[in-house]
Amino acid sequence: MKKLLILATCLFIIACENSSQKDVRVTIPIDGKQNFSSIDNIVSKMRVLTLESADNVVLSSDNIVKCNEDYIVIIDRLHSGQIHIFNIDGSYRATIAAKGRGPNEYLDMASVQLSDDRIMIYSYHKQAVLYYDYNGKFIESDQLEYKPYNLHKTDSGYWGYVGFGSGQMKERVVKMDGNGAIIDKYLPTKAKIYSVTEINDIFIECAEGILVRESLMNEISIINDNGASSYMSFDFGKYTIPSQYYEYSDPMKAAKMLFATDFAMIEEFFVLKKGLIMYVSRNMQGAEQSSDVVAIMRNGEWICIETNKEDALLHKSVKGVTNNDEIVLLQDEASIRTFAEQHSKLLPAVELKNISNNDDKYHIVLCQLK
């Protein structure tokens, strides 16, 4: 299952103001060389935010990055189970290293969410929410009456993701009260297949409700006071996931069938001031090297970039957006230096002045969208 979550990626942006248009079908041209442009047509400038070294901090490309106005939080969900906290200037602050079975510890990090004064960690296996401050200190925990696979906290309770074929209910999303008890259910499905283990966020808040991303669905759903509906559905051409995939009840057979085809899946998305970023992975049969696609829609026009690990900074590194509509990248020094040599106007040498000579060290790169 992990293989499904580390494929090459496609990034696209679309105006959030259009969310009143339900079930809009969008075609993303990701299967032809003629559809691709250069990063200069999408990004106006870049800056490097160097992360201060600390002996206990080891970062990698599959880390999750979350930012607010004061902090950068890097989550190592797959390896150490630690959360590294940096101040917004890149200086190291603290590490939450509380993986374990104790009362103030988590067994897993199914979801991590930031607020102004605390970090929320949802442990699926402990069926509990634990809170830590930005100095890495434990604050309190809440036990839940129900445990979905993923969780998103609201002012009044939680949204929970149940997924496909869980055996518990036909709905994929539940609304929960402050105690974690189910009070409503959304997005019923007839699909039999089990969900992919999700690493990135499933729920994203926007002005009009809660957006729901599911990796192996070619659409984004929206839930608000009017109920649940399709927000945007996608046509990826030959990369569209075959409909028969959802008819399998055996996840191994389904995965074998899927990986024998070309397909794209929605891996994560982010809300901008003027749009939505969606990060989609491609599985390419017969290709010498799998590639990513970065696509942006501005004023009704699509611009796509093809990128792979050999020649681009964006490869597997897009982690989020800032309040200023900058794309947040987490990338190693070697890739940053190589990109700066090839794109000195976007990433001038002055941005590399605080970078050391450790090519395996990771830093934040902020890309201002045009």
Side-chain angles (χ1 to χ4, degrees):
M1 288 299 182
K2 179 181 176 183
K3 183 178 179 182
L4 290 174
L5 298 170
I6 58 175
L7 302 176
T9 57
C10 161
L11 170 73
F12 95 101
I13 296 174
I14 188 160
C16 199
E17 291 85 354
N18 291 337
S19 62
S20 59
Q21 302 176 18
K22 305 302 181 185
D23 200 21
V24 177
R25 190 74 171 174
V26 176
T27 299
I28 310 295
I30 60 174
D31 56 359
K33 295 285 186 181
Q34 71 277 6
N35 297 321
F36 299 115
S37 183
S38 69
I39 193 171
D40 307 73
N41 293 326
I42 293 177
V43 174
S44 60
K45 61 181 180 179
M46 295 179 173
R47 57 191 178 100
V48 177
L49 183 58
T50 55
L51 298 176
E52 184 178 278
S53 297
D55 292 339
N56 62 325
V57 176
V58 178
L59 306 181
S60 63
S61 60
D62 53 15
N63 291 165
I64 299 167
V65 179
K66 293 180 179 291
C67 306
N68 58 25
E69 293 183 357
D70 298 312
Y71 305 105
I72 300 167
V73 176
I74 300 182
I75 304 151
D76 186 359
R77 183 179 177 188
L78 294 179
H79 307 295
S80 68
Q82 297 180 346
I83 296 179
H84 305 295
I85 306 165
F86 297 84
N87 296 310
I88 200 63
D89 63 358
S91 59
Y92 174 73
R93 187 178 183 90
T95 291
I96 301 173
K99 187 174 182 179
R101 298 182 178 275
N104 301 342
E105 298 176 331
Y106 47 84
L107 283 171
D108 61 289
M109 296 188 293
S111 306
V112 177
Q113 189 175 339
L114 308 186
S115 64
D116 291 340
D117 62 346
R118 58 180 58 190
I119 298 170
M120 183 201 87
I121 300 175
Y122 168 55
S123 176
Y124 168 81
H125 292 292
K126 293 190 74 171
Q127 198 170 329
V129 176
L130 298 92
Y131 298 95
Y132 300 80
D133 65 22
Y134 285 95
N135 293 314
K137 304 299 184 183
F138 174 78
I139 301 174
E140 60 182 346
S141 63
D142 294 323
Q143 202 68 33
L144 304 179
E145 294 184 24
Y146 175 75
K147 62 172 186 178
Y149 294 134
N150 296 85
L151 198 72
H152 180 82
K153 184 174 177 56
T154 68
D155 292 338
S156 58
Y158 305 92
W159 291 100
Y161 182 68
V162 179
F164 294 87
S166 65
Q168 302 174 72
M169 61 186 71
K170 62 181 180 179
E171 289 84 5
R172 285 134 49 202
V173 173
V174 295
K175 187 175 183 179
M176 302 159 65
D177 65 17
N179 295 318
I182 296 174
I183 57 177
D184 213 340
K185 302 175 182 180
Y186 299 89
L187 300 178
T189 179
K190 295 180 180 179
K192 300 176 182 179
I193 193 61
Y194 289 94
S195 297
V196 173
T197 300
E198 300 281 3
I199 293 177
N200 301 307
D201 288 341
I202 290 173
F203 300 104
I204 291 290
E205 294 181 351
C206 74
E208 296 177 296
I210 293 288
L211 299 176
V212 182
R213 174 202 62 82
E214 302 167 273
S215 288
L216 293 176
M217 292 289 288
N218 296 323
E219 68 177 351
I220 298 294
S221 302
I222 185 167
I223 304 175
N224 52 31
D225 293 339
N226 297 320
S229 60
S230 175
Y231 171 75
M232 194 72 64
S233 58
F234 307 97
D235 182 356
F236 297 123
K238 72 174 185 177
Y239 292 100
T240 298
I241 294 174
S243 58
Q244 61 265 34
Y245 169 80
Y246 303 102
E247 299 173 3
Y248 282 84
S249 57
D250 185 328
M252 298 307 296
K253 289 183 179 179
K256 183 177 180 180
M257 181 279 296
L258 193 60
F259 274 99
T261 67
D262 292 321
F263 73 91
M265 69 177 188
I266 302 170
E267 191 166 308
E268 60 183 352
F269 66 95
F270 314 99
V271 174
L272 297 164
K273 288 181 178 178
K274 296 183 179 180
L276 172 77
I277 296 179
M278 188 170 67
Y279 199 84
V280 179
S281 302
R282 294 197 304 178
N283 184 61
M284 304 170 67
Q285 295 295 314
E288 293 183 2
Q289 179 174 274
S290 293
S291 63
D292 298 350
V293 176
V294 178
I296 294 182
M297 191 272 276
R298 291 293 201 200
N299 301 319
E301 180 183 1
W302 286 95
I303 301 177
C304 299
I305 301 173
E306 187 173 41
T307 175
N308 58 58
K309 66 180 180 180
E310 300 297 331
D311 62 7
L313 194 69
L314 298 177
H315 186 71
K316 298 184 184 297
S317 66
V318 177
K319 301 298 181 179
V321 294
T322 69
N323 291 333
N324 296 321
D325 278 4
E326 296 171 299
I327 300 176
V328 178
L329 311 180
L330 180 66
Q331 190 57 274
D332 63 83
E333 285 190 4
S335 298
I336 295 172
R337 290 183 182 280
T338 299
F339 184 87
E341 292 173 358
Q342 299 171 351
H343 301 271
S344 58
K345 290 184 178 180
L346 283 180
L347 191 58
V350 66
E351 291 293 337
L352 308 181
K353 61 182 180 181
N354 294 323
I355 288 184
S356 65
N357 292 317
N358 183 355
D359 285 348
D360 294 327
K361 184 174 173 57
Y362 280 75
H363 299 287
I364 297 292
V365 180
L366 301 173
C367 310
Q368 183 64 63
L369 293 173
K370 287 186 175 180

